[in-house]
Amino acid sequence: MSTPPGPSHNSTSKPSAVAGKGFSHIDLDGHNLPPSPAPSSPRNGRKYALATELVYTESKDQYGASSMPIYQSATFKQTSANGGSEYDYTRSGNPTRTHLERHLAKIMNAARALVVGSGMGALDVITRILRPGDEVITGDDLYGGTNRLLTYMAANHGIIVHHVDTTNPENVRGVVSDKTAMVLLESPTNPLIKIVDIPSIAKIVHDTNAKALVVVDNTMLSPMLSNPLDLGADIVYESGTKYLSGHHDIMAGVLAFNNPAIGDKMYFTINSTGCGISPNDAFLLMRGIKTLAIRMEKQQSNAQIIAEFLESHGFRVRYPGLKSHPQYDLHHSMARGAGAVLSFETGDATLSERIVEAARLWGISVSFGCVNSLISMPCQMSHASIDAKTRKERQMPEDIIRLCVGIEDVDDLIDDLSRAVGAFLLSDNSFKTATALVLRTQVSYAGMHSLKAKFKVTLAYTRGSGSDVPFCVTPRFGPHGNYSIFGCEATKPFTPYTVYMTYNGQNTTGYLPRYLGEDGKITYATRTPKPKTKIASLSLTATATATAATFSGDALVTVEVSSTVEVGTNSSSGRPPPPDGCKDGPWDKARIVIGVFIGLGLLLGVVSIALVVFFVWKYRKEERAKANNGGEGANVEG
Ligand SMILES: N[C@@H](CCSC[C@H](N)C(=O)O)C(=O)O
């Protein structure tokens, strides 16, 4: 292996005098540099909790601007021909970028951070230290772009890449050697959400080869949830396009290190190749970072609810916030949260595709970390650059759907997902899953009565077109006999609102049961835009057993289901149910009448005022005209 300008690889070494020191005018290859290539981004040191540090900045702006201005300038005037100023040229450095880099170094627990134009740009800077013959060890599940760059380097630059299952550190031990120049890790991996034991791998690697660099892509967790430098990594990089900026309106890549020699090398490449972030994007990234904590908290709590929702409906969900994740403990030993990216499988790639395309609120988009929720099929999108054969070898499920959860109202997200998922689950060969949905039927009810009832439900399903076909089966009992509909059903958390139903082939939306008759008959309140009555604590659980199930084509199929419903409450909240199903009760009618009266009264008032104003105006006008006529006459005569 040839020797690039080499870092000491001592991951424990403390920051040198990089901070605050004038930049050396001799570069790593011993050349004299033009004056003042921009300096470093020394760590200011964290004093407060991370959420505080994210918004707390110290800048030496000449006017004390509380938000670091955008220095939209390519060049900087110097006080003498041989330097004298901190900046000369924005490729080398720019005050807006330096401010951002200092801030990032602080929140990433790094001695130094550097920012470039994209996450892949950051990896490019890192991998430029590799030389022909160098070996790289990386995962068998990793972001498609990373895989593409490594494959390119293997084909063109003589790098040897080993893909191993990094969830087992022993697999890394099996290939690490004195030829290993870099071990490149993701945790969680993208998109299979596998967890990698960074501290164990870092130890194995450094014990075997002190020169090998452990590099971690921390994009999925962000500094909010993890600091891989504290776990033994030598370099951490992130796509700033994602959680750090949070709005999918810029591209950015961040690199951070503790070893100053590594920092100098990375800076050398950035200055030489000109990939540093622009002042404008540096400003936007800085602004985004300030809201990282609040965004991540909301995204993460939404993700947890959504993961539980999908899991409770029988899907195989990959998310480290779920106890069922095989590496739950490992993840939480390294990170402060589970993040907001999860994936799940449907068992069929075409079905997954249809689900993704049926989503409305969830945008079909690559990337993650945005305030908006996104849905994607990695094999066709973010990881499409990994060829199908390799994907198969690496056991990447073609049907995997990746969800990147945003900050929207979680009930809306679940509604949309339920509808998208449900639109296709009750199709052809998927009935088993549909049955699972039926069995988990659980609704809440703002009722006042107690009920113990046994009943038999006949469920009819007409396969419709588009995504409006509801997915879950909810028994409906009305005064006109027992019949059934398919409705989008909430489990946990309870979604009090929309139910998508088909009854007699017609799609309609409405709410979960509001009315429970004295006779134990339940009806739905349909076509109600918002529930007027707060859903009370009463819960109704229906269990059902499917006895027959064959769906084919567009045929109407009848499924016999016997169910038991138990409801028990004496809740006194809410108003009494109307006597007959969803018909409006006396109070509803009274409210309509009162509303009409108030409306008419208001209208009458407005019209009366307008008339009075008009007549007063008319009267005054006539009076003025009369007075004017009289005056003019007098003058003429005089
Ligand atoms: N067309 C792009 C796809 C970018 S995917 C972005 C990303 N990091 C993710 O995981 O979604 C490409 O080919 O790189």
Side-chain angles (χ1 to χ4, degrees), residues 120 143-146 148 190-191 217 219-220 239 241-242 248 251 365-368 374 376 378 381-385 402 404:
M120 287 313 300
Y143 166 49
T146 306
R148 176 174 51 202
N190 181 4
D217 177 349
T219 308
M220 224 182 253
S239 166
T241 314
K242 307 202 168 59
H248 279 185
M251 304 295 294
S365 173
V366 292
S367 205
F368 49 88
L374 309 174
S376 67
M381 298 169 68
S382 51
H383 294 66
S385 58
R402 192 179 73 180
C404 306

Side-chain angles (χ1 to χ4, degrees), residues 445-451 516-518 538 567-571 576-577:
Y445 169 66
M448 272 57 68
H449 303 274
S450 290
L451 166 72
L516 180 63
E518 304 271 355
L538 180 61
V567 180
T569 185
N570 292 318
S571 164

Side-chain angles (χ1 to χ4, degrees), residues 9 28 49 166 185 208 231 235 324 368 385 439 446 482 576 599 620:
H9 304 324
L28 293 164
T166 43
L185 305 172
T208 313
L231 303 173
I235 301 178
S324 57
F368 49 88
S385 58
L439 291 171
N482 290 351
R620 286 198 177 157

Side-chain angles (χ1 to χ4, degrees), residues 277-298:
I277 195 168
S278 72
N280 201 61
D281 285 348
F283 173 86
L284 288 172
L285 180 53
M286 183 69 204
R287 185 167 69 167
I289 288 169
K290 291 180 185 173
T291 55
L292 174 64
I294 196 159
R295 281 185 283 109
M296 186 55 105
E297 272 161 27
K298 175 71 176 160

Side-chain angles (χ1 to χ4, degrees), residues 2-249:
S2 62
T3 317
S8 72
H9 304 324
N10 177 1
S11 60
T12 56
S13 64
K14 288 287 158 214
S16 69
V18 172
K21 196 180 116 183
F23 191 85
S24 157
H25 284 205
I26 305 294
D27 76 7
L28 293 164
D29 289 335
H31 303 130
N32 257 325
L33 288 171
S36 154
S40 56
S41 49
R43 186 216 305 255
N44 291 328
R46 271 179 56 184
K47 303 182 194 109
Y48 303 104
L50 187 53
T52 309
E53 291 288 7
L54 288 170
V55 292
Y56 176 68
T57 58
E58 282 169 300
S59 90
K60 292 187 208 127
D61 177 70
Q62 56 185 321
Y63 298 113
S66 47
S67 173
M68 183 61 162
I70 304 169
Y71 280 87
Q72 192 66 44
S73 181
T75 52
F76 296 84
K77 287 183 179 162
Q78 294 167 203
T79 49
S80 71
N82 63 355
S85 307
E86 196 174 2
Y87 300 97
D88 66 342
Y89 194 55
T90 279
R91 171 165 48 71
S92 303
N94 176 286
T96 315
R97 190 195 300 161
T98 304
H99 179 69
L100 168 71
E101 290 175 341
R102 288 208 169 104
H103 193 60
L104 277 162
K106 179 182 73 169
I107 63 173
M108 294 172 89
N109 272 358
R112 187 176 188 184
L114 297 166
V115 189
V116 296
S118 74
M120 287 313 300
L123 186 60
D124 177 50
V125 169
I126 295 165
T127 52
R128 278 180 190 248
I129 62 170
L130 296 171
R131 294 291 176 269
D134 280 357
E135 297 195 2
V136 175
I137 303 171
T138 191
D140 59 356
D141 178 41
L142 78 169
Y143 166 49
T146 306
N147 186 79
R148 176 174 51 202
L149 181 61
L150 293 176
T151 306
Y152 175 84
M153 294 188 76
N156 297 284
H157 296 170
I159 311 299
I160 294 141
V161 183
H162 301 279
H163 291 275
V164 299
D165 179 359
T166 43
T167 55
N168 183 354
E170 291 310 311
N171 292 339
V172 176
R173 195 193 297 282
V175 275
V176 70
S177 71
D178 58 357
K179 290 195 181 125
T180 307
M182 194 174 283
V183 176
L184 183 49
L185 305 172
E186 287 177 6
S187 187
T189 62
N190 181 4
L192 297 186
I193 317 292
K194 296 197 283 185
I195 308 302
V196 171
D197 185 344
I198 298 169
S200 299
I201 292 181
K203 186 165 181 343
I204 291 170
V205 172
H206 290 140
D207 285 354
T208 313
N209 178 352
K211 283 189 179 168
L213 292 173
V214 175
V215 179
V216 176
D217 177 349
N218 193 44
T219 308
M220 224 182 253
L221 294 180
S222 87
M224 185 65 204
L225 302 179
S226 177
N227 296 102
L229 292 177
D230 298 342
L231 303 173
D234 301 294
I235 301 178
V236 57
Y237 74 102
E238 302 199 6
S239 166
T241 314
K242 307 202 168 59
Y243 289 105
L244 286 171
S245 59
H247 296 74
H248 279 185
D249 48 13

